[in-house]
Amino acid sequence: MKLVILDRDGVINKDSVHSIKSPEEWVPIEGSLEAISLLNKNGYTVVVATNQSAIGKKLISNVTLDSIHKKMQDLLNKKKGKIDKIFYCPHVEEDNCTCRKPKTGLMQKIKEHYSINLEKIPAIGDSTRDLEAYSKSEAQPILVRTGNGKDVEKKKSFPSNTLIFDNLLEASKFIIKME
């Protein structure tokens, strides 16, 4: 199975320090939907692993999160793309759960759901916590310079085997080329 793991906010859509709290606030980053469609057309299953602490903070409900994800899938569908499954952590940091990145619980769920070893599976994020979770799970961490990615790159606070690209579309083209 050819699998690619993506973070959501800052990778697929524009991020907000105030959280994405409605479908209207969910705005795709230029080229991100085309990137997912391109991966799909080349036989990749695309999944999302995302921290969604807005639920734990009571800023949004699960129903609202589902509406946001429906908008994302509907827009992807228009580009002939799709995200196969969305794995999310609803907790806040203080909950000390096992699923909130940089912990590996979401990655473990992906591994179990697809019965797959994550070693060298491309995993794309825009934050140190994404890259740490990917690296600890033996996936190939990829940093994009969208969202928080530029700040992370400046601080050089990421695993040494991290690949770096300007955006999801560039990263996706590289993944396809390296098959």
PDB file of all heavy atoms in Angstrom, residues 56-88:
ATOM      1  N   GLY A  56     -11.326  20.025  22.748  1.00  0.00           N
ATOM      2  CA  GLY A  56     -11.047  19.985  24.180  1.00  0.00           C
ATOM      3  C   GLY A  56     -11.214  21.330  24.863  1.00  0.00           C
ATOM      4  O   GLY A  56     -11.565  21.399  26.039  1.00  0.00           O
ATOM      5  N   LYS A  57     -10.982  22.398  24.108  1.00  0.00           N
ATOM      6  CA  LYS A  57     -11.152  23.762  24.650  1.00  0.00           C
ATOM      7  C   LYS A  57     -12.605  24.221  24.574  1.00  0.00           C
ATOM      8  O   LYS A  57     -12.917  25.348  24.941  1.00  0.00           O
ATOM      9  CB  LYS A  57     -10.274  24.746  23.869  1.00  0.00           C
ATOM     10  CG  LYS A  57      -8.794  24.533  24.065  1.00  0.00           C
ATOM     11  CD  LYS A  57      -8.004  25.465  23.156  1.00  0.00           C
ATOM     12  CE  LYS A  57      -6.515  25.191  23.244  1.00  0.00           C
ATOM     13  NZ  LYS A  57      -5.761  25.939  22.223  1.00  0.00           N
ATOM     14  N   LYS A  58     -13.474  23.362  24.031  1.00  0.00           N
ATOM     15  CA  LYS A  58     -14.903  23.672  23.876  1.00  0.00           C
ATOM     16  C   LYS A  58     -15.158  24.843  22.927  1.00  0.00           C
ATOM     17  O   LYS A  58     -16.154  25.546  23.036  1.00  0.00           O
ATOM     18  CB  LYS A  58     -15.568  23.938  25.232  1.00  0.00           C
ATOM     19  CG  LYS A  58     -15.318  22.862  26.275  1.00  0.00           C
ATOM     20  CD  LYS A  58     -16.421  21.847  26.292  1.00  0.00           C
ATOM     21  CE  LYS A  58     -16.310  20.856  27.438  1.00  0.00           C
ATOM     22  NZ  LYS A  58     -15.544  19.682  27.176  1.00  0.00           N
ATOM     23  N   LEU A  59     -14.235  25.037  21.965  1.00  0.00           N
ATOM     24  CA  LEU A  59     -14.424  26.075  20.946  1.00  0.00           C
ATOM     25  C   LEU A  59     -15.295  25.559  19.805  1.00  0.00           C
ATOM     26  O   LEU A  59     -15.977  26.326  19.137  1.00  0.00           O
ATOM     27  CB  LEU A  59     -13.074  26.539  20.392  1.00  0.00           C
ATOM     28  CG  LEU A  59     -12.115  27.188  21.393  1.00  0.00           C
ATOM     29  CD1 LEU A  59     -10.769  27.458  20.742  1.00  0.00           C
ATOM     30  CD2 LEU A  59     -12.718  28.474  21.952  1.00  0.00           C
ATOM     31  N   ILE A  60     -15.221  24.238  19.573  1.00  0.00           N
ATOM     32  CA  ILE A  60     -16.043  23.599  18.553  1.00  0.00           C
ATOM     33  C   ILE A  60     -16.515  22.238  19.065  1.00  0.00           C
ATOM     34  O   ILE A  60     -15.943  21.680  19.992  1.00  0.00           O
ATOM     35  CB  ILE A  60     -15.311  23.411  17.196  1.00  0.00           C
ATOM     36  CG1 ILE A  60     -14.119  22.443  17.313  1.00  0.00           C
ATOM     37  CG2 ILE A  60     -14.874  24.737  16.605  1.00  0.00           C
ATOM     38  CD1 ILE A  60     -13.514  22.018  15.994  1.00  0.00           C
ATOM     39  N   SER A  61     -17.544  21.717  18.421  1.00  0.00           N
ATOM     40  CA  SER A  61     -18.059  20.381  18.748  1.00  0.00           C
ATOM     41  C   SER A  61     -17.561  19.385  17.703  1.00  0.00           C
ATOM     42  O   SER A  61     -17.038  19.774  16.658  1.00  0.00           O
ATOM     43  CB  SER A  61     -19.585  20.408  18.742  1.00  0.00           C
ATOM     44  OG  SER A  61     -20.045  20.652  17.412  1.00  0.00           O
ATOM     45  N   ASN A  62     -17.778  18.110  17.969  1.00  0.00           N
ATOM     46  CA  ASN A  62     -17.457  17.081  16.974  1.00  0.00           C
ATOM     47  C   ASN A  62     -18.291  17.285  15.709  1.00  0.00           C
ATOM     48  O   ASN A  62     -17.812  17.026  14.610  1.00  0.00           O
ATOM     49  CB  ASN A  62     -17.694  15.680  17.544  1.00  0.00           C
ATOM     50  CG  ASN A  62     -16.593  15.258  18.489  1.00  0.00           C
ATOM     51  OD1 ASN A  62     -15.409  15.376  18.160  1.00  0.00           O
ATOM     52  ND2 ASN A  62     -16.964  14.781  19.657  1.00  0.00           N
ATOM     53  N   VAL A  63     -19.506  17.752  15.866  1.00  0.00           N
ATOM     54  CA  VAL A  63     -20.393  18.001  14.713  1.00  0.00           C
ATOM     55  C   VAL A  63     -19.788  19.101  13.829  1.00  0.00           C
ATOM     56  O   VAL A  63     -19.764  18.978  12.598  1.00  0.00           O
ATOM     57  CB  VAL A  63     -21.818  18.380  15.186  1.00  0.00           C
ATOM     58  CG1 VAL A  63     -22.678  18.839  14.021  1.00  0.00           C
ATOM     59  CG2 VAL A  63     -22.463  17.207  15.896  1.00  0.00           C
ATOM     60  N   THR A  64     -19.275  20.164  14.457  1.00  0.00           N
ATOM     61  CA  THR A  64     -18.645  21.248  13.693  1.00  0.00           C
ATOM     62  C   THR A  64     -17.388  20.737  12.997  1.00  0.00           C
ATOM     63  O   THR A  64     -17.159  21.047  11.822  1.00  0.00           O
ATOM     64  CB  THR A  64     -18.308  22.439  14.613  1.00  0.00           C
ATOM     65  OG1 THR A  64     -19.521  22.896  15.210  1.00  0.00           O
ATOM     66  CG2 THR A  64     -17.673  23.577  13.822  1.00  0.00           C
ATOM     67  N   LEU A  65     -16.598  19.934  13.714  1.00  0.00           N
ATOM     68  CA  LEU A  65     -15.398  19.366  13.084  1.00  0.00           C
ATOM     69  C   LEU A  65     -15.781  18.522  11.866  1.00  0.00           C
ATOM     70  O   LEU A  65     -15.155  18.624  10.816  1.00  0.00           O
ATOM     71  CB  LEU A  65     -14.593  18.530  14.086  1.00  0.00           C
ATOM     72  CG  LEU A  65     -13.280  17.974  13.537  1.00  0.00           C
ATOM     73  CD1 LEU A  65     -12.295  19.093  13.205  1.00  0.00           C
ATOM     74  CD2 LEU A  65     -12.661  16.998  14.538  1.00  0.00           C
ATOM     75  N   ASP A  66     -16.831  17.740  12.003  1.00  0.00           N
ATOM     76  CA  ASP A  66     -17.312  16.938  10.866  1.00  0.00           C
ATOM     77  C   ASP A  66     -17.721  17.840   9.691  1.00  0.00           C
ATOM     78  O   ASP A  66     -17.464  17.509   8.534  1.00  0.00           O
ATOM     79  CB  ASP A  66     -18.502  16.060  11.276  1.00  0.00           C
ATOM     80  CG  ASP A  66     -18.097  14.911  12.196  1.00  0.00           C
ATOM     81  OD1 ASP A  66     -16.882  14.608  12.306  1.00  0.00           O
ATOM     82  OD2 ASP A  66     -19.006  14.330  12.829  1.00  0.00           O
ATOM     83  N   SER A  67     -18.346  18.982   9.989  1.00  0.00           N
ATOM     84  CA  SER A  67     -18.745  19.928   8.933  1.00  0.00           C
ATOM     85  C   SER A  67     -17.527  20.523   8.236  1.00  0.00           C
ATOM     86  O   SER A  67     -17.531  20.698   7.008  1.00  0.00           O
ATOM     87  CB  SER A  67     -19.585  21.068   9.515  1.00  0.00           C
ATOM     88  OG  SER A  67     -20.769  20.579  10.064  1.00  0.00           O
ATOM     89  N   ILE A  68     -16.504  20.828   9.012  1.00  0.00           N
ATOM     90  CA  ILE A  68     -15.252  21.349   8.436  1.00  0.00           C
ATOM     91  C   ILE A  68     -14.642  20.300   7.521  1.00  0.00           C
ATOM     92  O   ILE A  68     -14.239  20.601   6.387  1.00  0.00           O
ATOM     93  CB  ILE A  68     -14.269  21.760   9.562  1.00  0.00           C
ATOM     94  CG1 ILE A  68     -14.819  22.974  10.321  1.00  0.00           C
ATOM     95  CG2 ILE A  68     -12.880  22.039   8.988  1.00  0.00           C
ATOM     96  CD1 ILE A  68     -14.103  23.275  11.635  1.00  0.00           C
ATOM     97  N   HIS A  69     -14.608  19.065   7.989  1.00  0.00           N
ATOM     98  CA  HIS A  69     -14.023  17.993   7.178  1.00  0.00           C
ATOM     99  C   HIS A  69     -14.872  17.676   5.948  1.00  0.00           C
ATOM    100  O   HIS A  69     -14.337  17.319   4.902  1.00  0.00           O
ATOM    101  CB  HIS A  69     -13.774  16.754   8.039  1.00  0.00           C
ATOM    102  CG  HIS A  69     -12.648  16.958   9.002  1.00  0.00           C
ATOM    103  ND1 HIS A  69     -12.471  16.206  10.133  1.00  0.00           N
ATOM    104  CD2 HIS A  69     -11.633  17.849   8.998  1.00  0.00           C
ATOM    105  CE1 HIS A  69     -11.399  16.624  10.787  1.00  0.00           C
ATOM    106  NE2 HIS A  69     -10.880  17.615  10.115  1.00  0.00           N
ATOM    107  N   LYS A  70     -16.174  17.839   6.075  1.00  0.00           N
ATOM    108  CA  LYS A  70     -17.033  17.642   4.901  1.00  0.00           C
ATOM    109  C   LYS A  70     -16.702  18.680   3.838  1.00  0.00           C
ATOM    110  O   LYS A  70     -16.612  18.364   2.645  1.00  0.00           O
ATOM    111  CB  LYS A  70     -18.510  17.706   5.288  1.00  0.00           C
ATOM    112  CG  LYS A  70     -19.438  17.468   4.087  1.00  0.00           C
ATOM    113  CD  LYS A  70     -20.889  17.499   4.468  1.00  0.00           C
ATOM    114  CE  LYS A  70     -21.851  17.287   3.327  1.00  0.00           C
ATOM    115  NZ  LYS A  70     -21.418  17.510   1.970  1.00  0.00           N
ATOM    116  N   LYS A  71     -16.521  19.936   4.244  1.00  0.00           N
ATOM    117  CA  LYS A  71     -16.147  20.982   3.286  1.00  0.00           C
ATOM    118  C   LYS A  71     -14.828  20.611   2.602  1.00  0.00           C
ATOM    119  O   LYS A  71     -14.705  20.709   1.377  1.00  0.00           O
ATOM    120  CB  LYS A  71     -16.007  22.335   3.976  1.00  0.00           C
ATOM    121  CG  LYS A  71     -15.516  23.422   3.014  1.00  0.00           C
ATOM    122  CD  LYS A  71     -15.312  24.759   3.693  1.00  0.00           C
ATOM    123  CE  LYS A  71     -14.805  25.804   2.699  1.00  0.00           C
ATOM    124  NZ  LYS A  71     -14.596  27.119   3.331  1.00  0.00           N
ATOM    125  N   MET A  72     -13.849  20.166   3.393  1.00  0.00           N
ATOM    126  CA  MET A  72     -12.546  19.785   2.836  1.00  0.00           C
ATOM    127  C   MET A  72     -12.718  18.655   1.814  1.00  0.00           C
ATOM    128  O   MET A  72     -12.181  18.734   0.707  1.00  0.00           O
ATOM    129  CB  MET A  72     -11.612  19.363   3.972  1.00  0.00           C
ATOM    130  CG  MET A  72     -10.250  18.905   3.529  1.00  0.00           C
ATOM    131  SD  MET A  72      -9.127  18.591   4.930  1.00  0.00           S
ATOM    132  CE  MET A  72      -9.893  17.181   5.708  1.00  0.00           C
ATOM    133  N   GLN A  73     -13.478  17.628   2.171  1.00  0.00           N
ATOM    134  CA  GLN A  73     -13.686  16.486   1.257  1.00  0.00           C
ATOM    135  C   GLN A  73     -14.476  16.905   0.013  1.00  0.00           C
ATOM    136  O   GLN A  73     -14.167  16.456  -1.095  1.00  0.00           O
ATOM    137  CB  GLN A  73     -14.413  15.345   1.986  1.00  0.00           C
ATOM    138  CG  GLN A  73     -13.593  14.699   3.097  1.00  0.00           C
ATOM    139  CD  GLN A  73     -12.523  13.741   2.615  1.00  0.00           C
ATOM    140  OE1 GLN A  73     -11.897  13.928   1.554  1.00  0.00           O
ATOM    141  NE2 GLN A  73     -12.272  12.707   3.392  1.00  0.00           N
ATOM    142  N   ASP A  74     -15.474  17.770   0.184  1.00  0.00           N
ATOM    143  CA  ASP A  74     -16.255  18.240  -0.973  1.00  0.00           C
ATOM    144  C   ASP A  74     -15.377  19.014  -1.956  1.00  0.00           C
ATOM    145  O   ASP A  74     -15.479  18.830  -3.175  1.00  0.00           O
ATOM    146  CB  ASP A  74     -17.427  19.120  -0.522  1.00  0.00           C
ATOM    147  CG  ASP A  74     -18.537  18.329   0.166  1.00  0.00           C
ATOM    148  OD1 ASP A  74     -18.526  17.080   0.107  1.00  0.00           O
ATOM    149  OD2 ASP A  74     -19.422  18.981   0.775  1.00  0.00           O
ATOM    150  N   LEU A  75     -14.528  19.899  -1.424  1.00  0.00           N
ATOM    151  CA  LEU A  75     -13.616  20.652  -2.294  1.00  0.00           C
ATOM    152  C   LEU A  75     -12.610  19.722  -2.969  1.00  0.00           C
ATOM    153  O   LEU A  75     -12.282  19.901  -4.148  1.00  0.00           O
ATOM    154  CB  LEU A  75     -12.901  21.748  -1.508  1.00  0.00           C
ATOM    155  CG  LEU A  75     -13.774  22.917  -1.049  1.00  0.00           C
ATOM    156  CD1 LEU A  75     -12.988  23.857  -0.143  1.00  0.00           C
ATOM    157  CD2 LEU A  75     -14.347  23.683  -2.244  1.00  0.00           C
ATOM    158  N   LEU A  76     -12.142  18.729  -2.233  1.00  0.00           N
ATOM    159  CA  LEU A  76     -11.217  17.743  -2.814  1.00  0.00           C
ATOM    160  C   LEU A  76     -11.902  16.941  -3.916  1.00  0.00           C
ATOM    161  O   LEU A  76     -11.303  16.671  -4.954  1.00  0.00           O
ATOM    162  CB  LEU A  76     -10.727  16.781  -1.733  1.00  0.00           C
ATOM    163  CG  LEU A  76      -9.426  17.143  -1.067  1.00  0.00           C
ATOM    164  CD1 LEU A  76      -9.186  16.282   0.161  1.00  0.00           C
ATOM    165  CD2 LEU A  76      -8.268  17.046  -2.028  1.00  0.00           C
ATOM    166  N   ASN A  77     -13.140  16.563  -3.672  1.00  0.00           N
ATOM    167  CA  ASN A  77     -13.902  15.783  -4.643  1.00  0.00           C
ATOM    168  C   ASN A  77     -13.994  16.517  -5.977  1.00  0.00           C
ATOM    169  O   ASN A  77     -13.906  15.902  -7.046  1.00  0.00           O
ATOM    170  CB  ASN A  77     -15.296  15.481  -4.073  1.00  0.00           C
ATOM    171  CG  ASN A  77     -16.041  14.475  -4.897  1.00  0.00           C
ATOM    172  OD1 ASN A  77     -15.451  13.539  -5.435  1.00  0.00           O
ATOM    173  ND2 ASN A  77     -17.340  14.666  -4.999  1.00  0.00           N
ATOM    174  N   LYS A  78     -14.139  17.838  -5.927  1.00  0.00           N
ATOM    175  CA  LYS A  78     -14.191  18.642  -7.161  1.00  0.00           C
ATOM    176  C   LYS A  78     -12.873  18.575  -7.929  1.00  0.00           C
ATOM    177  O   LYS A  78     -12.847  18.810  -9.132  1.00  0.00           O
ATOM    178  CB  LYS A  78     -14.540  20.095  -6.830  1.00  0.00           C
ATOM    179  CG  LYS A  78     -15.965  20.276  -6.370  1.00  0.00           C
ATOM    180  CD  LYS A  78     -16.252  21.710  -5.992  1.00  0.00           C
ATOM    181  CE  LYS A  78     -17.677  21.844  -5.460  1.00  0.00           C
ATOM    182  NZ  LYS A  78     -17.933  23.149  -4.891  1.00  0.00           N
ATOM    183  N   LYS A  79     -11.792  18.287  -7.216  1.00  0.00           N
ATOM    184  CA  LYS A  79     -10.463  18.166  -7.844  1.00  0.00           C
ATOM    185  C   LYS A  79     -10.117  16.694  -8.099  1.00  0.00           C
ATOM    186  O   LYS A  79      -8.969  16.359  -8.378  1.00  0.00           O
ATOM    187  CB  LYS A  79      -9.383  18.779  -6.937  1.00  0.00           C
ATOM    188  CG  LYS A  79      -9.629  20.224  -6.553  1.00  0.00           C
ATOM    189  CD  LYS A  79      -9.068  21.153  -7.573  1.00  0.00           C
ATOM    190  CE  LYS A  79      -9.217  22.595  -7.087  1.00  0.00           C
ATOM    191  NZ  LYS A  79      -8.929  23.537  -8.120  1.00  0.00           N
ATOM    192  N   LYS A  80     -11.110  15.814  -7.913  1.00  0.00           N
ATOM    193  CA  LYS A  80     -10.938  14.373  -8.086  1.00  0.00           C
ATOM    194  C   LYS A  80      -9.929  13.795  -7.085  1.00  0.00           C
ATOM    195  O   LYS A  80      -9.150  12.895  -7.410  1.00  0.00           O
ATOM    196  CB  LYS A  80     -10.569  14.024  -9.525  1.00  0.00           C
ATOM    197  CG  LYS A  80     -11.590  14.514 -10.530  1.00  0.00           C
ATOM    198  CD  LYS A  80     -11.567  13.729 -11.801  1.00  0.00           C
ATOM    199  CE  LYS A  80     -12.540  14.183 -12.847  1.00  0.00           C
ATOM    200  NZ  LYS A  80     -13.741  14.825 -12.484  1.00  0.00           N
ATOM    201  N   GLY A  81      -9.976  14.333  -5.880  1.00  0.00           N
ATOM    202  CA  GLY A  81      -9.114  13.841  -4.821  1.00  0.00           C
ATOM    203  C   GLY A  81      -9.920  13.483  -3.597  1.00  0.00           C
ATOM    204  O   GLY A  81     -11.098  13.843  -3.493  1.00  0.00           O
ATOM    205  N   LYS A  82      -9.284  12.747  -2.674  1.00  0.00           N
ATOM    206  CA  LYS A  82      -9.972  12.432  -1.420  1.00  0.00           C
ATOM    207  C   LYS A  82      -8.973  12.057  -0.344  1.00  0.00           C
ATOM    208  O   LYS A  82      -7.874  11.570  -0.624  1.00  0.00           O
ATOM    209  CB  LYS A  82     -11.005  11.333  -1.599  1.00  0.00           C
ATOM    210  CG  LYS A  82     -10.434   9.936  -1.647  1.00  0.00           C
ATOM    211  CD  LYS A  82     -11.550   8.916  -1.585  1.00  0.00           C
ATOM    212  CE  LYS A  82     -10.962   7.555  -1.281  1.00  0.00           C
ATOM    213  NZ  LYS A  82     -11.825   6.650  -0.604  1.00  0.00           N
ATOM    214  N   ILE A  83      -9.392  12.306   0.867  1.00  0.00           N
ATOM    215  CA  ILE A  83      -8.650  11.849   2.039  1.00  0.00           C
ATOM    216  C   ILE A  83      -9.385  10.609   2.510  1.00  0.00           C
ATOM    217  O   ILE A  83     -10.596  10.650   2.770  1.00  0.00           O
ATOM    218  CB  ILE A  83      -8.596  12.947   3.117  1.00  0.00           C
ATOM    219  CG1 ILE A  83      -7.711  14.092   2.597  1.00  0.00           C
ATOM    220  CG2 ILE A  83      -8.062  12.383   4.424  1.00  0.00           C
ATOM    221  CD1 ILE A  83      -7.809  15.363   3.381  1.00  0.00           C
ATOM    222  N   ASP A  84      -8.667   9.507   2.605  1.00  0.00           N
ATOM    223  CA  ASP A  84      -9.290   8.232   2.934  1.00  0.00           C
ATOM    224  C   ASP A  84      -9.842   8.217   4.353  1.00  0.00           C
ATOM    225  O   ASP A  84     -10.944   7.726   4.582  1.00  0.00           O
ATOM    226  CB  ASP A  84      -8.280   7.092   2.748  1.00  0.00           C
ATOM    227  CG  ASP A  84      -8.936   5.737   2.803  1.00  0.00           C
ATOM    228  OD1 ASP A  84      -9.808   5.471   1.951  1.00  0.00           O
ATOM    229  OD2 ASP A  84      -8.587   4.937   3.703  1.00  0.00           O
ATOM    230  N   LYS A  85      -9.081   8.750   5.295  1.00  0.00           N
ATOM    231  CA  LYS A  85      -9.519   8.738   6.694  1.00  0.00           C
ATOM    232  C   LYS A  85      -8.833   9.875   7.440  1.00  0.00           C
ATOM    233  O   LYS A  85      -7.704  10.224   7.140  1.00  0.00           O
ATOM    234  CB  LYS A  85      -9.176   7.391   7.340  1.00  0.00           C
ATOM    235  CG  LYS A  85      -9.798   7.194   8.713  1.00  0.00           C
ATOM    236  CD  LYS A  85      -9.946   5.727   9.042  1.00  0.00           C
ATOM    237  CE  LYS A  85     -10.443   5.485  10.438  1.00  0.00           C
ATOM    238  NZ  LYS A  85     -11.717   6.061  10.800  1.00  0.00           N
ATOM    239  N   ILE A  86      -9.553  10.432   8.408  1.00  0.00           N
ATOM    240  CA  ILE A  86      -9.016  11.516   9.231  1.00  0.00           C
ATOM    241  C   ILE A  86      -8.911  11.025  10.670  1.00  0.00           C
ATOM    242  O   ILE A  86      -9.920  10.639  11.275  1.00  0.00           O
ATOM    243  CB  ILE A  86      -9.911  12.771   9.147  1.00  0.00           C
ATOM    244  CG1 ILE A  86      -9.987  13.259   7.693  1.00  0.00           C
ATOM    245  CG2 ILE A  86      -9.379  13.869  10.072  1.00  0.00           C
ATOM    246  CD1 ILE A  86     -11.066  14.282   7.426  1.00  0.00           C
ATOM    247  N   PHE A  87      -7.691  11.002  11.176  1.00  0.00           N
ATOM    248  CA  PHE A  87      -7.431  10.627  12.559  1.00  0.00           C
ATOM    249  C   PHE A  87      -7.163  11.926  13.315  1.00  0.00           C
ATOM    250  O   PHE A  87      -6.322  12.710  12.893  1.00  0.00           O
ATOM    251  CB  PHE A  87      -6.196   9.722  12.638  1.00  0.00           C
ATOM    252  CG  PHE A  87      -6.355   8.428  11.881  1.00  0.00           C
ATOM    253  CD1 PHE A  87      -6.089   8.358  10.516  1.00  0.00           C
ATOM    254  CD2 PHE A  87      -6.758   7.273  12.532  1.00  0.00           C
ATOM    255  CE1 PHE A  87      -6.231   7.166   9.811  1.00  0.00           C
ATOM    256  CE2 PHE A  87      -6.909   6.071  11.836  1.00  0.00           C
ATOM    257  CZ  PHE A  87      -6.644   6.021  10.476  1.00  0.00           C
ATOM    258  N   TYR A  88      -7.879  12.147  14.423  1.00  0.00           N
ATOM    259  CA  TYR A  88      -7.660  13.399  15.137  1.00  0.00           C
ATOM    260  C   TYR A  88      -7.627  13.188  16.647  1.00  0.00           C
ATOM    261  O   TYR A  88      -8.255  12.279  17.179  1.00  0.00           O
ATOM    262  CB  TYR A  88      -8.691  14.459  14.753  1.00  0.00           C
ATOM    263  CG  TYR A  88     -10.105  14.174  15.189  1.00  0.00           C
ATOM    264  CD1 TYR A  88     -10.587  14.663  16.413  1.00  0.00           C
ATOM    265  CD2 TYR A  88     -10.968  13.444  14.390  1.00  0.00           C
ATOM    266  CE1 TYR A  88     -11.879  14.412  16.825  1.00  0.00           C
ATOM    267  CE2 TYR A  88     -12.269  13.190  14.788  1.00  0.00           C
ATOM    268  CZ  TYR A  88     -12.716  13.671  16.006  1.00  0.00           C
ATOM    269  OH  TYR A  88     -14.002  13.407  16.406  1.00  0.00           O
TER     270      TYR A  88
END
